[in-house]
Amino acid sequence: MRILIVEDDQDLNRQLAAAFEEAGYVVDKAFDGEEGHFLGDTEPYDAIVLDIGLPEMDGITVLENWRREGRATPVLILTARDRWNDKVSGIDAGADDYVTKPFHIEEVLARVRALIRRSAGHATSLIECGGLQLDTRTSKVTLDGNPVKLTSHELRLLAYLMHHQERVISRTELTEHLYDQDFDRDSNTIEVFIGRLRKKLDGRYIETVRGLGYRLISGGRDETGEAAS
Ligand code: CA
């Protein structure tokens, strides 16, 4: 999952970014409203953490612009404690949730997790696909009840596929959601990771849809990606 943090307080921005990276997210950072608006408008994030008090363009305006331009990305706003009206204007401008400063970073992480899974249509933090389970709170994966050991990159890939299961996802989409803006993207890398991940899942679950991309499916499939009869 890839997120954007728009926060002009450099320390706070870096603390948030470090916490999200630690939790397995890919993070882009913006330190003023204009930069934040531009990134949110041009990059496909799974969620955005947006401070309201920002230089160049305030958070409410940034959010209003995104929504007017049709960007539906889940947005969590950060508001100052003594400015209750920011919550009202933020939610009216299209925010999905808010956290009041000062906050515990764990709360921001939990709210963003919830926004991401709800926007993908999952009501609880345990996401299932056949015998495959992902606990989004702990990032633990099990297959038929047995723990599956994944690298952080494989986990990120699987988490994206599990949030969007039964849908064909192109290599471009995967690349955009697994790497930050500075990464030198090579779509062949995705194939390599898909291959490794498929092996760890007993050759089942990840279907290759020729020319289109990949699909995580709950029924058993063999190694070639063809449907098992
Ligand atoms: Ca601020």
Side-chain angles (χ1 to χ4, degrees):
M1 300 289 163
R2 182 176 173 202
I3 65 159
L4 171 66
I5 295 171
V6 191
E7 167 60 73
D8 58 315
D9 179 327
Q10 307 248 342
D11 287 341
L12 186 56
N13 193 321
R14 295 212 168 88
Q15 278 173 33
L16 281 165
F20 275 101
E21 278 163 4
E22 173 77 11
Y25 294 81
V26 168
V27 181
D28 287 344
K29 302 188 279 284
F31 296 90
D32 67 59
E34 260 176 30
E35 187 189 12
H37 172 259
F38 174 77
L39 285 173
D41 204 24
T42 50
E43 298 289 330
Y45 296 104
D46 296 292
I48 298 174
V49 176
L50 175 68
D51 184 32
I52 293 302
L54 289 169
E56 307 303 333
M57 189 191 291
D58 71 88
I60 302 286
T61 309
V62 171
L63 185 53
E64 279 172 348
N65 286 345
W66 282 334
R67 295 311 189 219
R68 196 176 316 119
E69 291 147 3
R71 307 277 166 244
T73 316
V75 173
L76 174 85
I77 52 170
L78 304 177
T79 63
R81 185 166 44 181
D82 54 346
R83 295 187 51 93
W84 65 270
N85 48 327
D86 281 351
K87 292 170 201 161
V88 177
S89 353
I91 288 166
D92 283 342
D96 299 275
D97 201 356
Y98 67 84
V99 170
T100 304
K101 291 178 179 177
F103 48 73
H104 289 282
I105 284 196
E106 279 304 323
E107 183 180 356
V108 177
L109 286 168
R111 289 185 182 277
V112 166
R113 275 200 299 274
L115 288 184
I116 291 175
R117 67 175 153 70
R118 267 192 251 120
S119 74
H122 302 282
T124 67
S125 48
L126 196 67
I127 301 179
E128 295 182 291
C129 179
L132 200 54
Q133 282 194 334
L134 166 70
D135 188 331
T136 58
R137 287 165 305 182
T138 58
S139 296
K140 296 271 185 280
V141 175
T142 59
L143 177 58
D144 301 327
N146 304 311
V148 183
K149 271 196 101 174
L150 299 174
T151 63
S152 60
H153 196 91
E154 291 164 353
L155 178 65
R156 217 179 290 144
L157 176 56
L158 182 62
Y160 192 80
L161 291 172
M162 284 199 75
H163 277 81
H164 303 282
Q165 53 186 273
E166 308 290 343
R167 177 161 82 72
V168 178
I169 299 170
S170 70
R171 254 172 238 139
T172 310
E173 180 176 345
L174 281 175
T175 307
E176 284 173 343
H177 289 268
L178 297 180
Y179 301 108
D180 62 34
Q181 56 173 340
D182 301 324
F183 189 82
D184 180 19
R185 292 162 189 188
D186 175 0
S187 64
N188 286 329
T189 328
I190 293 285
E191 280 175 61
V192 173
F193 282 111
I194 286 277
R196 286 187 202 150
L197 189 55
R198 186 182 278 146
K199 237 176 239 165
K200 290 190 179 181
L201 305 178
D202 292 345
R204 294 180 287 156
Y205 296 104
I206 301 174
E207 181 185 46
T208 302
V209 184
R210 261 176 234 302
L212 293 176
Y214 306 98
R215 178 163 54 196
L216 192 78
I217 40 157
S218 51
R221 307 280 156 134
D222 67 19
E223 194 96 20
T224 62
E226 303 293 326
S229 51

